[in-house]
Amino acid sequence: MPRSPGSSVAPAAAERGVLVPKLLRYFTGSVVATVCSEVVFVLLYGVLGTGTTWSSTLSWLAGAVPNFWLNRNWAWQRTGRPSLRGEVLPYAAIVLFTLLLATLATHGADAWLQDRVSDSLRVVLVAVVFLAVYVVVFVLRFVLLDRLFSRPQHPPADRSR
C-alpha cells in the first residue's frame, strides 16, 4: 500500500502504534476490574456462603463500574461527561452479557460439583469458572468496546438559548 505524501509511517504501522497501547491499557483496566470482581465473588460465595446468582451479580457490579471508567477514560481516552444513550447503555448491554454468562456458568458448576467434591474445593473451582468467563469474553469485549468508544464524541448541546 503506498504511503501518503509526507508520511513516513505506513498506515498499518500507524494503526498498530495506536492499537497496541490501547490494547495494553484495556488489558490493565480489565485486570483491575477482574481482580475487583474475583475478590468480591470469593468473599460472597466462599466466605459468606451467598448463592452463585447474588455472588456473580454483585461481583460483576464491583468490576463493571471501575471497568467503565478505566476503559472510557484511560484505554480509549474519552473525556467529558459520558452520553447515557451513546455510551453508558451500550456499555451496560455489553457487560450484562458477561454477567449472564458468569451467572449461568457459576450456577451450573456449583450444582454439578455440589456432592462431588469438598466444599473448599467447590469454592475454588466455581471461582475459577467465574474467572474463566471473563477470560473467554476478553477479546469479544475489546472489539465491541473499541467500536463503542472509538466513535466521535459529540460536543454537549448549547443550552444557553
Side-chain angles (χ1 to χ4, degrees), residues 109-110 112-123 125-126:
D110 180 64
W112 189 76
L113 293 167
Q114 194 67 44
D115 295 322
R116 290 182 166 82
V117 298
S118 68
D119 287 344
S120 56
L121 181 57
R122 183 171 45 86
V123 168
L125 293 174
V126 173

Side-chain angles (χ1 to χ4, degrees), residues 46-64:
V47 176
L48 299 177
T50 307
T52 56
T53 301
W54 278 108
S55 296
S56 294
T57 303
L58 296 173
S59 300
W60 165 83
L61 186 59

